[in-house]
Amino acid sequence: MVIRLIAIDMDGTLLNQRNEVTPRVQKAIKKASNIGIKVILATGRPFIGVKCYLEDLSLKKDDQFCITHNGALIQNAMNGECLSEVLLSFDDYLYFEKLARDLMVHFQAFTKTEMFTSNQDISEYTVHEAWMTGIPLRYRCVNDMDCQLHFPKVMMLDPPELLDQAISRIPYSVLQRYSIMKSSPYYLEILNKQANKGTGVKFIAEKLGIKRDEVMAIGDQENDLAMLEYASISIAMGNSIESVKKIAQFITKTNEEDGVALAIENFCEI
């Protein structure tokens, strides 16, 4: 089987615990790209949090793409231009902001270029997200928000025990109407029902004329499940959560052990 497209999650997969791409992983990705394989970064991060890695991996080109906000946006890797966007409305924002307050967890919402929180006691996880990705963080009470805004995603966030308790109280009807998944023990991501990494990979593959059985995906968290289920070859990181390991066809080493490089080397004959 010939692999023509590789979709790679970033945090916990491409990146080690220090937010680095190790030399071996970088080398494997560049080799794959040099022989004509499309390498797509598929992440929950905004584009601003992806750009430096696209450049380091020589993927910042007009004919390259990336999946951001867990599939809500598909963007040109060179300039961030959106090829596809599936967004939440301002009414969605209002609903989930209130629901987060009712559930007593912190909340944040993303536009394409900014992150907003309505919590005066800004969560340490919100601060960490802004630091990690570089996206500007704004405090805005709900009444001061621009009602014309649309959002790639909104998030609930808190320590795992608090967040999991809140998740258990989200109405079933809401779980059915939106794409809702955890991207880490601390983050619950909420998107339009049509948005996930799987639909993002499918969009890019079809745009490039690449068949599903020519696609490989690598991930580690719940927000990677959709793209792993779409790909013909699905690979879980050694540090993946159990639900990811259960559905993946193969398990590679951890993100501290060059797991992405090993997967590419084994399946792409580089």
Side-chain angles (χ1 to χ4, degrees), residues 3 11 19 30 68 84 177 203 221 240 254:
I3 298 300
D11 296 289
N19 286 316
K30 287 184 176 180
T68 61
S84 173
R177 291 202 309 272
F203 178 94
Q221 287 290 331
S240 296
T254 72

Side-chain angles (χ1 to χ4, degrees), residues 36-105:
I37 298 172
K38 286 291 181 183
V39 179
I40 306 298
L41 301 189
T43 179
R45 293 185 180 216
F47 186 72
I48 192 173
V50 181
K51 289 193 297 183
C52 65
Y53 298 103
L54 292 169
E55 189 163 351
D56 289 346
L57 294 168
S58 301
L59 299 176
K60 191 177 178 182
K61 302 175 182 177
D62 268 332
D63 62 347
Q64 291 281 352
F65 311 101
C66 61
I67 296 167
T68 61
H69 295 287
N70 285 315
L73 301 181
I74 299 170
Q75 297 177 261
N76 180 286
M78 173 63 77
N79 56 25
E81 178 185 354
C82 287
L83 288 76
S84 173
E85 52 186 63
V86 184
L87 306 177
L88 296 170
S89 69
F90 192 75
D91 284 342
D92 293 323
Y93 163 83
L94 291 175
Y95 174 79
F96 282 107
E97 196 279 337
K98 182 179 184 302
L99 181 60
R101 289 187 182 276
D102 292 343
L103 297 175
M104 295 185 290
V105 290

Side-chain angles (χ1 to χ4, degrees), residues 30 33 55 62 105 154 183 195 223 257 265:
K30 287 184 176 180
S33 185
E55 189 163 351
D62 268 332
V105 290
V154 300
S183 58
N223 60 324
E257 302 172 297
E265 291 162 2

Side-chain angles (χ1 to χ4, degrees), residues 43 62 97 113 115 223 227 233 238 248 251:
T43 179
D62 268 332
E97 196 279 337
T113 57
M115 178 169 63
N223 60 324
M227 75 172 181
I233 294 179
I251 299 174

Side-chain angles (χ1 to χ4, degrees), residues 158-173:
D158 257 328
E161 62 276 11
L162 295 179
L163 186 60
D164 289 343
Q165 187 177 59
I167 292 168
S168 71
R169 296 169 55 203
I170 295 175
Y172 178 77
S173 61

Side-chain angles (χ1 to χ4, degrees), residues 1 15 19 30 35 45 48 61 81 91 102 134 148 155-156 196 201 205-206 213 223 226 264:
M1 182 182 299
L15 306 178
N19 286 316
K30 287 184 176 180
I35 63 172
R45 293 185 180 216
I48 192 173
K61 302 175 182 177
E81 178 185 354
D91 284 342
D102 292 343
Q148 300 302 311
M155 295 172 65
M156 297 182 191
N196 60 62
V201 174
E206 290 178 349
D213 63 8
N223 60 324
I264 294 173

